[in-house]
Amino acid sequence: MREGARLSRVAMLGAIVAAGLACNGREPPQGSREGGASTGVALKLSRTPEGQFREGAVERIQETLRERGLLTEKVEPGDLDVPTSAALRKLQEQHDLPLTGMPDGATVEALGLDPESLYQRREIPEAQEPQRPAVLRETPEDRGP
Amino acid sequence: MASTSAPRPWYRKRWAWLLAGLVLVVIGVRLALNPVADHYTRRWLNQFPTLKGDYQQLSVSLFPPGIELHNLTLAEQPRVGQEPPLLFAERVRGHLRVGQLLRGEFVVRARMDAPKFSYVVRKSVEREVEETARRLEEPVQELLRLVRTLPPLSVERLEVRDGELLIVEAREEGSPSVWVHKLEATVENLPTSAERSGGMPTLLAASGTVQRSGELSLFLTLDPFQSQPTFAGRMRLAGQQLSDFSALTKAKADVIIPKGEMDLSAIFVAREGRILGSLKSEVKNADFKAADEDFGSKLKAALGDAALSLFERDKQGEDRLATVVPINGRLKSPDVGLGAAVTGVLRNAFVEGIASGFAGMVPGEGVGGSGGEDEQAKSDAREGD
């Protein structure tokens, strides 16, 4: 009997801890960036899907599509053109992904490539101090084809 | 003679009790989860006087931790007649990624199957949008408050499969509509804090069919943590048969376009209240009377978003025969939200695309060609500098 009571207490404690971990009623601290406050640090925006990738990344996607037999037509290297988009759609259909024809993270993963190594990223400093936006001008790769 | 003690029966062993207890707890939690989640979800969906939600079935899973709703309906209140709800989705599901959960990170993946978004315009577009924004303000604020009480999380990926968007112009005879279907979309990297963005913007990719013919593709990058709407992207519409819009153009500008095809491409960036980019549209083989000179302005007045001024050139009276129109505008109100700004830019670009396509059209002859892309790139490069 004593074993059972101890066990139930352990189980209850476990459940309370798990529930607490799952939904601790934490309010964001003052000045935190949570909830949509401005970071002051501009992220790298791009007007074209190609502009979001590192140099050579789109070519790697095209090569992999070709290796898998999904891309047979001649394409412009580095350009997510109509044949490349059609090949991406075929891949997305095979993997039950939305048929956007664009190389989103899950599509890149389905190709066996690591999205982390393909996307461009910008360092976000830990400091809470607002900073001047780092980039206000478009870079050449933003301009697309 | 050594005595051998008999092995203890299983029920005397501590591990057996622990295991049995754990199994009971899991079964108990599993059995209680669905009704508890159902109760709180229904209560949450029905707490607002301006928006009501309902669904047929809810189920919660433990591995991976997630939730699934069937036949979800969200409708503005009070509902008018047989008006379709704002959203009906056959299935909505979301789950936490187990790998990240074990590392103490809350990362969500979600998917909507066959969602139908419907919007009925009964008053002026501005007033209608304003009223909807007012109706949705409380639920949105409540949702944001709820999110803030949760540990920092990020939506790694939201998928939309086989969606539809229907905009019904109920003010006009016959209620002409714009219908986007076969809508496939992904939204990636949507965190609740900038630190969790990983230095990457939120990415949106979508494709769909407009009316019966137009192939739409959309790519957007968004920075949701700037105080003013900050986004960049590209919209393309190819092979759009203009006759698909006959009911709408007849109602709005008293013009019927029995044939013709339009291609449209717009690229844009919005930052610090300014919008730059370019728009290219081609109208081919349209049967259109040149006497309808004010067709474009009528259409823009009827369908455009007055909160956004994308084409300052209009005011300067510059030549509009060019196939590539620079976008150079401003958000008129500093209070405009990110969603309203994005939809406003897309809407105005679409309306301007039709209007400028006709402005530059020689009847019966296609405009532009392979050189158009180069022209657009050059124009875009100028705008970017």
Side-chain angles (χ1 to χ4, degrees):
Chain A
M1 277 303 275
R2 217 158 27 147
E3 287 280 338
R6 194 187 298 165
L7 189 66
S8 69
R9 277 203 299 274
V10 168
M12 277 177 68
L13 188 66
I16 290 165
V17 170
L21 280 174
C23 33
N24 57 7
R26 196 175 66 86
E27 285 293 330
Q30 287 253 321
S32 158
R33 292 173 198 172
E34 284 170 38
S38 176
T39 63
V41 178
L43 296 171
K44 163 92 171 58
L45 298 182
S46 172
R47 284 186 273 197
T48 61
E50 293 92 343
Q52 203 53 43
F53 288 98
R54 291 173 201 262
E55 204 176 329
V58 176
E59 286 88 336
R60 273 187 70 194
I61 290 169
Q62 289 172 324
E63 277 167 31
T64 316
L65 285 168
R66 205 173 283 285
E67 284 164 14
R68 295 197 168 203
L70 294 163
L71 183 59
T72 50
E73 292 172 61
K74 194 178 173 192
V75 294
E76 187 67 39
D79 185 9
L80 291 166
D81 51 13
V82 174
T84 309
S85 285
L88 286 167
R89 272 203 183 85
K90 281 185 214 164
L91 178 83
Q92 287 165 339
E93 197 168 9
Q94 288 173 3
H95 290 265
D96 192 27
L97 295 168
L99 311 176
T100 60
M102 290 187 217
D104 54 63
T107 305
V108 169
E109 276 176 4
L111 265 178
L113 300 172
D114 177 17
E116 296 290 316
S117 67
L118 301 183
Y119 282 120
Q120 295 198 48
R121 287 179 185 278
R122 173 155 294 159
E123 290 295 317
I124 297 291
E126 291 294 321
Q128 297 287 309
E129 283 292 311
Q131 294 176 19
R132 188 178 164 72
V135 172
L136 289 172
R137 287 187 174 196
E138 291 291 286
T139 54
E141 62 267 29
D142 278 347
R143 291 168 193 156
Chain B
M1 194 172 161
S3 65
T4 53
S5 59
R8 285 198 300 169
W10 67 268
Y11 53 84
R12 300 284 304 274
K13 290 179 181 168
R14 187 173 290 186
W15 65 263
W17 280 103
L18 276 169
L19 188 67
L22 194 65
V23 168
L24 281 175
V25 167
V26 169
I27 291 171
V29 168
R30 183 69 192 85
L31 287 175
L33 265 180
N34 275 2
V36 169
D38 183 60
H39 171 76
Y40 283 105
T41 308
R42 283 190 191 281
R43 200 171 78 168
W44 197 88
L45 285 173
N46 286 293
Q47 65 179 308
F48 310 108
T50 54
L51 184 80
K52 292 277 176 239
D54 195 13
Y55 53 86
Q56 202 173 53
Q57 191 191 339
L58 175 147
S59 57
V60 178
S61 65
L62 285 176
F63 304 104
I67 191 166
E68 187 169 317
L69 297 168
H70 288 261
N71 295 339
L72 172 71
T73 305
L74 291 176
E76 282 184 82
Q77 300 294 322
R79 222 167 148 182
V80 182
Q82 294 299 307
E83 202 170 271
L86 264 183
L87 169 68
F88 171 81
E90 277 184 18
R91 186 167 66 165
V92 181
R93 52 186 163 154
H95 70 265
L96 287 167
R97 300 286 306 273
V98 175
Q100 280 84 346
L101 192 61
L102 294 174
R103 293 199 294 269
E105 294 171 15
F106 290 80
V107 177
V108 178
R109 276 197 172 193
R111 173 167 162 156
M112 291 175 104
D113 288 296
K116 291 183 177 66
F117 300 91
S118 305
Y119 197 66
V120 180
V121 182
R122 293 187 175 277
K123 299 161 191 158
S124 75
V125 174
E126 275 70 37
R127 210 170 140 203
E128 196 74 55
V129 170
E130 196 180 294
E131 284 185 11
T132 301
R134 212 168 32 234
R135 283 189 200 120
L136 295 182
E137 190 181 358
E138 193 189 348
V140 169
Q141 289 303 324
E142 182 59 24
L143 188 64
L144 288 174
R145 195 195 62 74
L146 184 72
V147 166
R148 284 190 199 116
T149 64
L150 297 171
L153 57 84
S154 60
V155 177
E156 183 186 61
R157 186 174 169 84
L158 167 66
E159 295 182 353
V160 172
R161 300 297 315 269
D162 196 21
E164 287 180 41
L165 167 67
L166 181 69
I167 300 169
V168 182
E169 183 51 89
R171 293 173 296 174
E172 306 292 348
E173 196 181 335
S175 298
S177 59
V178 175
W179 181 44
V180 184
H181 55 115
K182 295 181 185 166
L183 189 61
E184 305 270 322
T186 57
V187 180
E188 291 189 317
N189 201 38
L190 185 58
T192 55
S193 69
E195 288 86 353
R196 296 180 65 82
S197 70
M200 275 183 67
T202 300
L203 302 174
L204 184 149
S207 71
T209 303
V210 180
Q211 307 292 67
R212 284 170 296 177
S213 55
E215 290 304 317
L216 175 75
S217 77
L218 176 66
F219 171 79
L220 278 177
T221 53
L222 308 104
D223 183 349
F225 299 104
Q226 298 298 321
S227 52
Q228 283 195 299
T230 304
F231 57 92
R234 179 181 80 185
M235 173 175 72
R236 280 181 175 165
L237 181 64
Q240 180 65 61
Q241 293 299 316
L242 292 167
S243 57
D244 286 351
F245 293 110
S246 277
L248 196 66
T249 53
K250 168 74 181 146
K252 291 295 177 189
D254 202 23
V255 169
I256 292 176
I257 312 162
K259 67 169 190 169
E261 189 180 302
M262 182 178 76
D263 290 346
L264 184 151
S265 172
I267 41 183
F268 44 82
V269 56
R271 196 179 277 155
E272 296 170 351
R274 195 161 175 219
I275 304 158
L276 293 172
S278 65
L279 172 83
K280 181 190 162 213
S281 88
E282 291 177 56
V283 174
K284 298 170 218 165
N285 306 318
D287 186 359
F288 178 74
K289 288 191 178 88
D292 300 307
E293 281 173 0
D294 59 346
F295 166 69
S297 52
K298 276 182 185 171
L299 204 65
K300 280 187 271 183
L303 300 174
D305 186 343
L308 291 164
S309 159
L310 293 189
F311 304 94
E312 288 181 346
R313 281 163 58 101
D314 283 354
K315 293 172 196 161
Q316 295 158 16
E318 290 180 29
D319 180 15
R320 295 295 311 281
L321 293 178
T323 55
V324 178
V325 183
I327 294 174
N328 186 353
R330 286 194 175 275
L331 298 171
K332 285 185 179 168
S333 164
D335 301 327
V336 68
L338 180 60
V342 170
T343 49
V345 167
L346 298 179
R347 195 169 95 198
N348 280 11
F350 178 71
V351 174
E352 183 69 27
I354 299 179
S356 65
F358 278 99
M361 189 190 75
V362 178
E365 187 183 310
V367 179
S370 59
E373 285 287 322
D374 296 338
E375 201 180 339
Q376 183 170 21
K378 282 178 201 161
S379 164
D380 189 38
R382 283 198 300 275
E383 296 304 327
D385 291 337

